[in-house]
Amino acid sequence: MLQVNYIRENKEKVLERLAIRNFDKPELIDLIISIDSSRRKVQTDLDALAAIANASAKEIGDLMRTGQKEAAEVKKAETTRNKQSIQELGLELEKLEKELFDLVVQLPNLPHHLVKAGTSAEDNEIVKVVGSPSNLAAEALPHWELAAKYDLIDFELGVKITGAGFPVYKGKGARLQRALINYFLDQATAAGYKEMQVPHMVNEASGFGTGQLPDKEGQMYHAQVDNLYLIPTAEVPVTNLYRDEIIKEENLPVKNTAYTPCFRREAGSYGAHVRGLNRLHQFDKVELVQIVHPEKSYEVLEDMSNYVQGLLENLGLHFRVLRLCGGDMGFTSAMTYDMEVWSGAQQRWLEVSSVSNFETFQSNRLKLRFKGKEGKAQLAHTLNGSALALPRIVASLLENYQTPEGIVIPEVLRPYTGFDIIN
């Protein structure tokens, strides 16, 4: 959530940056500034009346002690009228604060100055391409056919149990899935991240804190009786561990990792681009979350992006790195890198990770601050990244490592799988 004082003091800059996102409600900024002006005036009047009330209470006490009961009664009547005015102003302030809050939460984060304007994924900036496509035979199969051929994943069984988008992993398919989770967690902890096990459901305050609510409530599974939400990513519970906390500056950066299943209601269109593992309602992911000093956050963003790229290189996958344009970037992000792996059998790029810097957008919602040596509390910066999301990694491994003899397992995974090939 943007800070109101920043909006007020930097109106033109805010409008300029929001335009990069194709934000089409500039009148909202004027309304926010207007309501904030009214709110501040009411607050000033309320503070003045409260000061008068405090002084009157002392004066009444002095009059009573000196026997001036008649004067004291007159003062009490004035105080009663003053209290009524304080109550009315308090209600007006509460109303204005709610109006202001309801407007500010509609504003997305301001994109970083390196983020380019654009309307869709077609306008994303290609930052880097690593490796080259696998030399697959013309008859190479897509992963959903490979999964059936080697009895690794059963999509129809998932439909029977739950519905579309909930696959059942079997035999070596399940073992490969577990191997990837353990490999990614081991790599993260070796890189200094603390492993966490967190709830897979969160309350409304947690969803608001990281920006899923009220923006993405339609994409989240909601247990209405308990008013709890199934997590779309471990980012939500892990970041919310620090909601309403003040961290000592010397304890920054905070680096956490967690494996969780992820649940998303997002409806996909039909066709090959959403077949198999390409888009699911439940999938596994290892997440990285960092809380850092504002001066370090873009350095950390590059480090996190490079870390994820290292995982992809270790797996021997051909990938590219994109800096998302304003029109394709998430609501809460100030800058996002996407990592996409080349699917040899499908002949297209598959997103496998997003790494984002949210600056103070989440921490303002979370009231997540740090206190420096001078003793002043200020908002921290938060970042997160997928390291990695498993479905499309599994799809890419199956497709790109297929041979006439079977599917070869990348060397780094063999200690985890216990086998070298799927045949």
Side-chain angles (χ1 to χ4, degrees), residues 21 109 111-112 114-115 124-125 127 298 301-302 305 321-326 328-339 351 353-358 384-385:
R21 285 185 169 273
N109 202 356
H112 186 269
L114 289 178
V115 175
N124 291 334
E125 178 185 2
V127 176
Y298 280 95
L301 178 66
E302 297 300 322
S305 173
V321 182
L322 306 177
R323 183 186 290 119
L324 300 194
C325 70
D328 197 37
M329 202 162 58
F331 183 84
T332 55
S333 178
M335 185 189 290
T336 295
Y337 288 115
D338 270 7
M339 270 56 86
E351 180 201 331
S353 176
S354 286
V355 181
S356 299
N357 186 356
F358 306 105
N384 85 275

Side-chain angles (χ1 to χ4, degrees), residues 157-387:
L157 193 55
V159 172
K160 171 186 173 181
I161 297 168
T162 308
F166 295 89
V168 174
Y169 295 83
K170 303 164 66 178
K172 288 186 175 181
R175 188 69 176 265
L176 176 60
Q177 182 91 340
R178 179 157 57 93
L180 283 164
I181 292 167
N182 289 335
Y183 173 66
F184 293 151
L185 284 174
D186 284 351
Q187 291 295 301
T189 54
Y193 289 87
K194 179 189 288 187
E195 184 176 349
M196 312 292 280
Q197 287 192 359
V198 291
H200 300 163
M201 302 185 82
V202 293
N203 56 30
E204 196 169 342
S206 295
F208 173 79
T210 44
Q212 279 69 33
L213 299 175
D215 180 52
K216 295 183 176 66
E217 63 266 52
Q219 298 180 23
M220 298 173 72
Y221 286 97
H222 186 199
Q224 296 182 354
V225 173
D226 302 296
N227 197 27
L228 296 175
Y229 294 84
L230 284 166
I231 61 171
T233 165
E235 167 203 348
V236 182
V238 173
T239 311
N240 271 277
L241 294 172
Y242 304 93
R243 175 158 41 96
D244 298 319
E245 296 288 331
I246 298 178
I247 301 170
K248 292 182 180 179
E249 184 175 358
E250 57 264 31
N251 293 334
L252 296 177
V254 173
K255 300 173 66 176
N256 289 332
T257 186
Y259 152 70
T260 66
C262 304
F263 303 88
R264 300 183 184 179
R265 294 184 64 243
E266 55 186 352
S269 57
Y270 295 97
H273 68 289
V274 295
R275 284 192 67 179
L277 297 172
N278 287 345
R279 183 172 296 173
L280 301 176
H281 293 306
Q282 178 181 328
F283 60 94
D284 292 318
K285 182 151 68 86
V286 173
E287 193 78 357
L288 306 177
V289 172
Q290 287 208 43
I291 300 166
V292 305
H293 192 288
E295 294 177 1
K296 300 285 188 180
S297 68
Y298 280 95
E299 176 185 335
V300 171
L301 178 66
E302 297 300 322
D303 288 344
M304 291 177 72
S305 173
N306 289 333
Y307 171 82
V308 173
Q309 293 173 47
L311 295 178
L312 295 173
E313 289 188 66
N314 290 346
L315 292 172
L317 294 171
H318 172 42
F319 68 93
R320 67 181 184 179
V321 182
L322 306 177
R323 183 186 290 119
L324 300 194
C325 70
D328 197 37
M329 202 162 58
F331 183 84
T332 55
S333 178
M335 185 189 290
T336 295
Y337 288 115
D338 270 7
M339 270 56 86
E340 296 183 337
V341 168
W342 178 250
S343 166
Q346 298 179 65
Q347 291 291 297
R348 68 189 193 90
W349 294 100
L350 301 176
E351 180 201 331
V352 294
S353 176
S354 286
V355 181
S356 299
N357 186 356
F358 306 105
E359 297 187 359
T360 61
F361 194 85
Q362 289 183 335
S363 58
N364 190 30
R365 289 169 168 246
L366 294 159
K367 295 183 173 58
L368 166 55
R369 294 161 290 172
F370 71 95
K371 186 176 288 188
K373 297 178 179 64
E374 70 285 354
K376 181 182 178 183
Q378 56 181 304
L379 294 172
H381 280 196
T382 62
L383 303 94
N384 85 275
S386 309

Side-chain angles (χ1 to χ4, degrees), residues 2 6-7 9-26 29 107-119 125 298 323-336 357 359 361:
L2 300 183
Y6 184 87
I7 297 171
E9 295 166 9
N10 300 275
K11 175 186 171 182
E12 296 307 319
K13 184 176 181 180
V14 168
L15 288 170
E16 176 188 330
R17 298 316 299 164
L18 287 177
I20 299 295
R21 285 185 169 273
N22 309 303
F23 183 75
D24 59 357
K25 298 179 181 177
I29 301 300
L107 298 178
N109 202 356
L110 302 180
H112 186 269
H113 67 85
L114 289 178
V115 175
K116 294 184 177 180
T119 58
E125 178 185 2
Y298 280 95
R323 183 186 290 119
L324 300 194
C325 70
D328 197 37
M329 202 162 58
F331 183 84
T332 55
S333 178
M335 185 189 290
T336 295
N357 186 356
E359 297 187 359
F361 194 85

Side-chain angles (χ1 to χ4, degrees), residues 2 93 116 138 249 343 370 394 397-398 405 417:
L2 300 183
L93 181 64
K116 294 184 177 180
E249 184 175 358
S343 166
F370 71 95
V394 171
L397 292 177
L398 297 182
E405 292 74 35
T417 59

